[in-house]
Amino acid sequence: MKKTSGMAQRQNSIIGTMAGTVNRTVEGIKCKACVLDARLRTMAAEPESGAATAEYAVVLVAATGFAAVLVALLKSDMAKKLLSDMISKAMKVI
C-alpha cells in the first residue's frame, strides 16, 4: 500500500469538503426548484384566486372617493344655485 504525503492528504480533505458542499448546494437547489414548480403549477391551476376580492376593494375605494367628491360639489353654493335654478325652470314648464 502506498502512503500519501501530508500535502496530498490535505488536498484530498479539501476536495472532499468542497465536493460535499457542492452536493449539498445542488440538493438545495433541486429542493427549491421543486417548491417553485409546485407553486407555479398551483397558480396556473387557480390563476385568479383572490384577484376578484382585490378588484372589488379597489372599485369600492374608487367609488367612495368619487362619492365624496360629488358630496363636496353638491354642498358648494354654486351647485346649490344651479340645482335650484334647474328645479325652478322645470316647475315653470309644468
Side-chain angles (χ1 to χ4, degrees):
M1 213 178 211
K2 200 176 194 184
K3 281 189 168 183
T4 56
S5 68
M7 178 69 99
Q9 286 177 348
R10 282 192 300 256
Q11 286 177 348
N12 287 340
S13 173
I14 292 171
I15 291 171
T17 302
M18 290 172 63
T21 302
V22 169
N23 286 337
R24 283 190 301 277
T25 303
V26 167
E27 289 302 315
I29 290 171
K30 285 180 182 178
C31 180
K32 289 183 190 281
C34 287
V35 170
L36 179 62
D37 180 56
R39 286 183 182 169
L40 289 173
R41 288 178 189 265
T42 301
M43 287 177 64
E46 301 171 9
E48 293 188 21
S49 89
T53 305
E55 290 166 0
Y56 287 130
V58 170
V59 168
L60 287 175
V61 168
T64 305
F66 185 68
V69 169
L70 283 177
V71 167
L73 285 174
L74 291 175
K75 284 186 174 184
S76 70
D77 291 334
M78 184 179 73
K80 286 180 185 177
K81 182 171 177 357
L82 182 64
L83 285 173
S84 64
D85 289 346
M86 286 174 57
I87 291 172
S88 35
K89 282 183 184 177
M91 295 304 257
K92 288 180 185 174
V93 171
I94 296 176

